[in-house]
Amino acid sequence: MALGDLEREVMRQLWDAGEPLTVRQVHERLHRERDLAYTTVMTVLNRLTKKRVVVQQNDDRAYKYAPAQSREEMTAGLMLDALTASGDQDAALAYFMGQLSPDALKAAIEAVTKK
């Protein structure tokens, strides 16, 4: 599932925090980089909850939000979705692997052979 720019920024804040955050906390972190209304952040978090990308937790009088998956799990899922939609998974994967730096390619091969 592809995310929009603001959705990705919100997810980055949640992943970087390492703990569930309130709308206010996410808003304060994002506000350092760009001018956003509190209600905009609330809307994005609600949308991400409906997409099941974040989990909403009741914390006394406020909700806290946490990623439903790690950054790596979500990235892998997006890559698998793209490969599945490509029509020719082998060709798409070969092209992707050809775009990696030698170090990244070596790390990928090492990760697969450790399993």
Side-chain angles (χ1 to χ4, degrees), residues 8-94:
R8 283 194 303 275
E9 286 186 47
V10 167
M11 290 305 299
R12 182 174 50 86
Q13 296 303 325
L14 293 174
W15 282 317
D16 290 351
E19 64 182 1
L21 298 176
T22 63
V23 174
R24 182 162 311 287
Q25 290 171 315
V26 175
H27 178 257
E28 288 170 356
R29 289 165 183 246
L30 288 172
H31 193 68
R32 296 175 195 153
E33 300 169 14
R34 57 193 283 188
D35 188 25
L36 292 171
Y38 176 90
T39 54
T40 300
V41 176
M42 185 180 354
T43 298
V44 170
L45 284 165
N46 285 330
R47 187 177 316 132
L48 291 170
T49 300
K50 289 178 183 172
K51 290 181 177 183
R52 298 180 187 214
V53 176
V54 299
V55 177
Q56 185 183 61
Q57 305 167 353
N58 195 352
D59 184 52
D60 198 20
R61 296 187 318 169
Y63 287 112
K64 287 193 172 186
Y65 297 85
Q69 297 178 313
S70 70
R71 189 184 326 243
E72 296 77 14
E73 289 169 329
M74 178 173 256
T75 301
L78 291 169
M79 292 169 68
L80 287 171
D81 287 348
L83 282 174
T84 301
S86 73
D88 188 347
Q89 291 182 17
D90 292 343
L93 186 57

